[in-house]
Amino acid sequence: MTADLRGKVALVAGATRGAGRGIAVELGAAGATVYVTGRTTRAEQSEYMRPETIEETAELVTSAGGQGIAVQVDHLVPHEVEALVARIRTEVGRLDILVNDIWGCERLFEWDKAVWEHSLDKGLRMLRLGIETHLITAHYALALMIERPGGLLVEVTDGTAEYNATHYRLSPFYDLVKTGVTRMAWAHAQDLAKYGATAVSVTPGWLRSEMMLEAYGVGEENWRDATRVQPHFAISETPRFIGRAVTALSADPDRARWNGQSLSSGGLAKAYGFDDVDGSRPDCWRYLVEVQEPGKPADVTGYR
């Protein structure tokens, strides 16, 4: 699959690490100009206290073949988002792709806790970071995007609508955020269609993010060692896989056929014929239902 996004302008909101970084890099590999935002820079860290920075992401975008532009933005602060969009308008005069991957909640959600057991402060913070930021960004950025027909909004979430409809996702707070983002994409799709634009939600599978690899004590080069602890980690994928999914959507002249839909990296790989960077084609959400949940041994054969 060869995507050509030369001349296109993208904003990846929440691109410091993880899926956001993978998406930004793949958009860059297709030739796009990519504004990458986040709170952590080489001069200032967010409460994550992580080493990854937006400058690093921008450099990776440029190295891949695009133009990466790092802008420090807290997407909970409306005037910062407004200023970001004003800058994009001034510098390039257009916005073709908006990716809302703002999250920042890995240290907030509490596993398998009812609402009365879960920290209220952490839960409400999760709602602000996972939903409010997306709405603020859409408010300002989509007004620019609709000035030209053919724009694409991608809301990044966790889990397809089909999967989340029948699975309780950790806690009421986490569950609401991840299902809410999917519904948000559907709602935006109704408004954007009038302007010749498309909105979808896209979920990665089991993501080998920096934090996930660290949790298993491995790196990307030896990630399979983690399957000794969790055999089903064999179905995991790099952040570049969802990046290729978003890039394929962005380059598809018939992408409006997906408008309002809940999509996954694995499902889009099948539709567009791309692989992960190692040549694999994981389909995590199908695997969870067909292999992991029934208690079958880890087995990724047949998932290409």
Side-chain angles (χ1 to χ4, degrees):
M1 181 201 71
T2 302
D4 186 353
L5 296 178
R6 288 173 293 180
K8 300 296 185 181
V9 177
L11 165 58
V12 182
T16 314
R17 59 186 68 83
R21 175 174 283 190
I23 292 167
V25 171
E26 286 295 332
L27 290 171
T33 295
V34 188
Y35 285 81
V36 298
T37 67
R39 294 172 296 171
T40 298
T41 68
R42 288 180 174 137
E44 184 179 357
Q45 287 185 318
S46 70
E47 71 266 25
Y48 263 86
M49 301 301 289
R50 294 284 308 175
E52 303 86 14
T53 69
I54 55 171
E55 293 95 338
E56 289 172 353
T57 301
E59 290 165 2
L60 289 168
V61 170
T62 301
S63 295
Q67 181 183 6
I69 302 170
V71 186
Q72 186 182 32
V73 176
D74 183 339
H75 286 264
L76 269 178
V77 182
H79 72 81
E80 291 190 20
V81 181
E82 184 178 23
L84 164 68
V85 175
R87 174 177 170 176
I88 295 172
R89 180 185 292 278
T90 298
E91 292 180 350
V92 292
R94 62 188 294 165
L95 181 62
D96 303 290
I97 304 153
L98 170 61
V99 179
N100 269 336
D101 184 49
I102 314 147
W103 176 230
C105 301
E106 278 87 352
R107 294 173 178 166
L108 295 177
F109 59 80
E110 299 175 2
W111 289 74
D112 301 322
K113 287 192 175 181
V115 68
W116 59 88
E117 299 171 314
H118 197 290
S119 163
L120 183 59
D121 287 343
K122 289 181 178 179
L124 294 178
R125 174 74 171 166
M126 202 185 313
L127 293 177
R128 294 203 68 208
L129 287 170
I131 292 182
E132 190 173 326
T133 54
H134 289 231
L135 288 168
I136 291 171
T137 305
H139 174 80
Y140 292 106
L142 292 182
L144 174 57
M145 194 181 83
I146 62 172
E147 291 181 3
R148 294 171 179 259
L152 174 66
L153 166 64
V154 176
E155 291 283 350
V156 179
T157 188
D158 177 23
T160 62
E162 180 182 17
Y163 183 87
N164 288 344
T166 57
H167 291 76
Y168 177 38
R169 304 306 308 279
L170 307 184
S171 77
F173 298 106
Y174 189 93
D175 192 282
L176 178 58
V177 170
K178 295 309 181 181
T179 57
V181 169
T182 299
R183 180 67 182 189
M184 196 187 308
W186 182 88
H188 290 318
Q190 313 313 304
D191 296 325
L192 289 174
K194 305 166 192 174
Y195 297 90
T198 300
V200 298
S201 64
V202 180
T203 178
W206 197 338
L207 194 68
R208 293 202 298 276
S209 65
E210 297 88 350
M211 295 181 76
M212 181 61 70
L213 291 170
E214 187 175 281
Y216 279 116
V218 297
E220 182 56 34
E221 69 283 352
N222 69 328
W223 70 268
R224 291 186 181 279
D225 290 350
T227 61
R228 299 170 187 166
V229 178
Q230 170 49 271
H232 294 297
F233 197 55
I235 200 63
S236 64
E237 62 197 55
T238 74
R240 298 282 291 271
F241 195 49
I242 188 174
R244 292 179 176 183
V246 172
T247 300
L249 279 169
S250 302
D252 182 0
D254 191 30
R255 59 185 166 273
R257 71 187 191 275
W258 301 108
N259 196 38
Q261 294 190 40
S262 164
L263 308 169
S264 69
S265 51
L268 288 169
K270 185 176 181 180
Y272 288 108
F274 61 84
D275 297 327
D276 205 344
V277 294
D278 61 359
S280 66
R281 192 178 293 178
D283 190 350
C284 176
W285 301 100
R286 174 185 158 206
Y287 179 93
L288 290 178
V289 173
E290 295 183 10
V291 178
Q292 186 169 348
E293 291 177 8
K296 297 179 182 179
D299 178 11
V300 297
T301 59
Y303 282 81
R304 181 172 172 81

